[in-house]
Amino acid sequence: MSASSRNPFDLSPQRRALLEQMLHESQLPGGASDTIAPRSPSALAPLSFPQQRLWFLDQFAPGPAFNIPVALRLRGPLDPERLARALEHLVTRHAALRTTFAFADGQPVQRVTDPPPLPLTVIDLLPLPPAERAAQAQRLTNAQARQPFDLARDPLLRAGLLRLADDQHVLLLTIHHIAADDWSIGLFLRELAQVYAALAAGRPVSLPDLPLQYADFAAWQRARPAQADQPLLDYWRRSLRGPLPVLALPTDRPRPPVQTYAGATELLALGRPLTDALHSFSRSESVTPFMLLLAGFQALLFRCTRQADILIGTPVAGRLRREVEGLVGCFANLLPLRGSLAGAPSFRALVQRVRDLAVEAYSHQDLPFEQLVEALQPARDLSRHPLFQVAVQLLQSAPELDFSAGLSAQREYVFTETAKFDLFLILEETEAGLQATLEYNRDLFDAGTVAGLLDAYRTLLADALAAPDQPIAALALLSPIAVDRLRAWNATDLALQPGVLPQWITAQAQRTPEAVAVVGAAERLTYAELDQQSSRLAHALAAQGVGRGRLVAVALERRPSLLVALLGVLKAGAAYLPLDLTYPPQRLAQVLADARPRALLTEPETGAVHPALALDPSVAVVGLTAALAQPASPPPAAPLPEVGVADLAYVLYTSGSTGQPKGVAVAHGALANCM
């Protein structure tokens, strides 16, 4: 269908959501509460709902978790003094950047102060060798990003300038989230470029007037009548009715009792071919790229947890009213997106489910997340976020910044080694294609685990786009490289070694009879001595009825004669049961009662000090020293049995984690292969 013949009411999901929101706003109760009015600049203002949540979290666990760091790489001739003046102009323009937070009448309030001086700390890295400047710049960037704010006293904007070369600088900005959001950062950088360009050209700064400030919005939001948000609240109650799902993520460590914000990030480029395929499929299915990426993330979480009811959060700008679009402030809201993957849907069907879910959620996005949590009253758990543990966001394209005067600017994202959620998938479109960043709580996950999740996400998306009608349970998670690696790791098929251990010892004794075979603290045995003594012991055991299929308990100290005893048991065709003489008598008694050996090989003095070794009269007790003292000739009437790889070699007992020790039987073939 051509563009000219398309039905004008066939709206895209984004426009449909916006239209529904506009219709919703047009039906709100009338009156002053629907108009954001300016307040007295000197009056204290309440905190907005998102500000109140951030203030409480800061009181509960102060730190850099909600810092927004920005690094702006500037290339070309830069005037640091002019840049400082441009920054001060914007602090004067946007009251949210010169606001502090205090208590008044038992409630937190925001107080807008006069524009304070904004020092632009300039750090010259030119004295360093060129090879060290980038590393030092990264260290300084991370240090500023992690420096916490005192919300009661500090200005909520910090600025620093790193000089890497005469024509290359990095502007470091850190703003607390209580004063700004992602939209605010883009707005701030665009206005910074405009103000700097005006100052450089010697012309007046001509930014549009701001009839409102953020505190005006906060006061309006708090004064809205409850019935204004009732339709929104009714929708979310229906969407989130019933027990809220808790994702059973396969973490590397147990969850701490209190949520921590210790974070790290792993990055992965999805690549241009996959990105192009994603955009093509989005157009064919009439969905946004975000909806498609969200569907893929839902499918990945389903495969990791086997849970069909999945709740994921996503940030939204929260600026559906035109009068606040030009303000710096904390307008961002969180939307809980509850998706169902029940019924083994195909990926195409899942994308359609996600489209319907997202359109409805975005058309009801104006309810503050904090009000939703208060209304739902979920079971509070200090170890996790109140509604969801996982979030996803598709970043908007970075704004074009025109500083003019031959100065170019490029924003570089900085991560603060903090994590607001268990997992936070951040996707950004670049010239090379989509880049996925997975921010994770490092108290829960290892870097290798998270890198594996990102690789699985890319593989799943590629397989889903190649065959969208296959069930999500059949989508590939392992890339070809990962499959080859697993095959290599699991290539454990080895040919069993011919023969068994007693035969090897005899053969070695024939080759090198005088070579040392066993070394102890005060004695040593050659291969000839080991072979001869073990054969003598084997004949002594055979005289006591020990042979193939029998079990001989061995209770001896750890010295060279212990090797003679074990080998002698094997030569007699029996299997040995080692007894650790340091174990409690009750443990030894349990093992012996369960194994029921044919003989006990020990020393008389050992049996005397271990009452657990007192067996029933049918068990032959063989003293090792006495058996070895018997003359080697005349030879016995019957030859020793020939043991094979299937014959039992030894039995080891487990620790008894179930309360009862269990014996593990090992055959000669396994022993030979191990040796």
Side-chain angles (χ1 to χ4, degrees):
M1 181 183 292
S2 66
S4 60
S5 61
R6 182 177 298 145
N7 187 336
F9 296 101
D10 185 14
L11 300 178
S12 69
Q14 306 100 305
R15 292 185 177 181
R16 191 186 315 153
L18 180 59
L19 176 60
E20 290 183 15
Q21 178 63 32
M22 294 172 65
L23 291 174
H24 164 70
E25 288 185 355
S26 68
Q27 296 169 1
L28 289 175
S33 62
D34 294 328
T35 302
I36 305 178
R39 19 175 310 286
S40 169
S42 61
L44 299 178
L47 275 60
S48 67
F49 286 109
Q51 279 185 323
Q52 180 173 302
R53 175 172 56 90
L54 292 168
W55 180 87
F56 173 79
L57 291 173
D58 183 80
Q59 299 297 305
F60 183 71
F66 293 94
N67 287 3
I68 304 177
V70 179
L72 196 64
R73 188 169 291 273
L74 301 166
R75 291 182 173 87
L78 175 70
D79 185 339
E81 182 181 350
R82 186 178 298 141
L83 181 62
R85 288 166 53 202
L87 288 168
E88 290 182 347
H89 182 92
L90 294 183
V91 171
T92 301
R93 173 177 171 81
H94 295 286
L97 300 176
R98 45 189 173 87
T99 298
T100 57
F101 299 84
F103 263 119
D105 299 327
Q107 294 293 328
V109 294
Q110 49 181 319
R111 177 185 289 114
V112 178
T113 64
D114 293 330
L118 179 65
L120 178 63
T121 305
V122 180
I123 301 178
D124 192 352
L125 300 182
L126 283 179
L128 295 177
E132 297 180 14
R133 292 175 194 167
Q136 179 64 6
Q138 189 62 54
R139 284 192 289 269
L140 293 171
T141 299
N142 293 341
Q144 173 162 309
R146 291 187 55 79
Q147 182 180 347
F149 287 93
D150 183 343
L151 300 184
R153 297 178 179 84
D154 292 345
L156 299 181
L157 169 65
R158 286 195 299 265
L161 186 66
L162 307 180
R163 185 184 181 209
L164 302 177
D166 289 336
D167 60 349
Q168 189 173 159
H169 298 76
V170 177
L171 174 63
L172 303 179
L173 302 174
T174 307
I175 306 177
H176 195 282
H177 190 17
I178 203 170
D181 51 22
D182 286 343
W183 180 298
S184 300
I185 299 301
L187 171 69
F188 183 90
L189 294 179
R190 287 194 300 272
E191 292 188 349
L192 178 65
Q194 291 176 263
V195 174
Y196 183 91
L199 295 176
R203 64 174 186 267
V205 177
S206 58
L207 294 176
D209 292 337
L210 295 178
L212 298 173
Q213 291 291 342
Y214 183 79
D216 302 327
F217 166 79
W220 167 84
Q221 187 185 62
R222 286 292 187 171
R224 292 189 77 202
Q227 65 268 27
D229 290 329
Q230 193 59 48
L232 299 175
L233 186 56
D234 291 342
Y235 164 78
W236 288 111
R237 285 186 187 276
R238 292 192 303 271
S239 176
L240 302 175
R241 66 181 178 273
L244 295 178
V246 177
L247 277 179
L249 294 168
T251 61
D252 294 305
R253 283 170 293 280
R255 183 179 298 275
V258 177
Q259 181 183 3
T260 69
Y261 296 101
T265 54
E266 287 290 326
L267 283 72
L268 182 69
L270 299 186
R272 174 50 60 190
L274 179 57
T275 301
D276 291 342
L278 185 146
H279 285 302
S280 176
F281 188 76
S282 297
R283 290 190 294 270
S284 68
E285 296 295 311
S286 299
V287 299
T288 65
F290 172 77
M291 294 172 185
L292 180 55
L293 292 164
L294 175 60
F297 198 42
Q298 281 187 348
L300 177 64
L301 294 175
F302 167 75
R303 296 289 295 277
C304 291
T305 64
R306 288 299 172 185
Q307 294 174 250
D309 187 5
I310 292 180
L311 187 57
I312 299 178
T314 188
V316 292
R319 296 178 187 246
L320 295 176
R321 302 183 70 97
R322 292 188 180 88
E323 59 265 46
V324 302
E325 290 180 354
L327 298 182
V328 168
C330 182
F331 294 91
N333 198 16
L334 287 172
L335 290 187
L337 302 175
R338 186 175 190 175
S340 172
L341 289 81
S346 67
F347 185 74
R348 191 191 305 274
L350 176 61
V351 169
Q352 298 304 317
R353 291 186 190 183
V354 170
R355 180 186 63 181
D356 295 341
L357 168 68
V359 168
E360 282 197 6
Y362 276 90
S363 65
H364 296 85
Q365 65 174 287
D366 214 18
L367 182 72
F369 178 77
E370 296 71 24
Q371 283 185 278
L372 176 59
V373 173
E374 182 179 352
L376 294 179
Q377 291 290 307
R380 288 308 179 108
D381 183 348
L382 295 179
S383 70
R384 64 184 83 235
H385 195 270
L387 292 187
F388 43 79
Q389 301 91 55
V390 175
V392 61
Q393 180 180 19
L394 177 61
L395 296 177
Q396 300 298 320
S397 300
E400 295 275 342
L401 302 177
D402 182 15
F403 281 78
S404 70
L407 185 63
S408 66
Q410 180 181 1
R411 180 178 177 181
E412 298 177 350
Y413 285 92
V414 182
F415 296 95
T416 59
E417 296 184 355
T418 60
K420 303 174 186 65
F421 306 97
D422 294 355
L423 295 172
F424 186 11
L425 178 63
I426 304 167
L427 297 141
E428 177 190 7
E429 184 93 38
T430 69
E431 292 183 359
L434 280 165
Q435 176 171 282
T437 300
L438 194 51
E439 180 184 278
Y440 64 96
N441 189 309
R442 64 175 185 267
D443 285 336
L444 298 176
F445 299 98
D446 292 331
T449 301
V450 176
L453 284 173
L454 276 177
D455 190 62
Y457 181 58
R458 178 176 59 185
T459 302
L460 182 147
L461 283 175
D463 196 34
L465 295 177
D469 293 313
Q470 63 178 317
I472 57 174
L475 295 175
L477 294 181
L478 295 178
S479 65
I481 294 176
V483 171
D484 291 342
R485 187 185 302 122
L486 282 178
R487 285 173 177 165
W489 288 345
N490 287 280
T492 56
D493 293 338
L494 297 174
L496 291 178
Q497 299 298 320
V500 292
L501 185 60
Q503 297 170 358
W504 293 354
I505 297 295
T506 298
Q508 185 67 26
Q510 293 171 353
R511 286 192 298 268
T512 58
E514 301 304 320
V516 176
V518 185
V519 176
E523 57 182 319
R524 61 180 57 194
L525 295 173
T526 65
Y527 273 99
E529 292 170 333
L530 176 61
D531 187 51
Q532 293 166 3
Q533 293 184 25
S534 59
S535 294
R536 191 177 305 162
L537 175 60
H539 289 298
L541 291 171
Q544 297 293 332
V546 172
R548 180 180 278 109
R550 298 290 190 173
L551 195 61
V552 177
V554 179
L556 293 167
E557 299 291 344
R558 194 178 182 88
R559 55 177 185 261
S561 59
L562 175 61
L563 272 294
V564 174
L566 300 181
L567 187 57
V569 173
L570 296 179
K571 284 187 174 184
Y576 64 81
L577 167 67
L579 299 178
D580 190 333
L581 297 177
T582 64
Y583 281 0
Q586 182 182 6
R587 160 78 176 187
L588 294 176
Q590 286 179 326
V591 169
L592 289 168
D594 185 67
R596 292 179 293 180
R598 176 64 184 85
L600 169 65
L601 185 56
T602 184
E603 296 288 12
E605 63 272 17
T606 299
V609 298
H610 283 83
L613 301 183
L615 303 176
D616 63 79
S618 65
V619 177
V621 179
V622 179
L624 177 62
T625 302
L628 294 179
Q630 295 179 6
S633 59
L640 295 174
E642 291 287 338
V643 296
V645 294
D647 287 316
L648 191 61
Y650 61 88
V651 174
L652 293 179
Y653 270 77
T654 66
S655 59
S657 58
T658 61
Q660 182 66 32
K662 296 180 177 62
V664 178
V666 180
H668 271 279
L671 175 60
N673 199 48
C674 176
M675 297 297 290

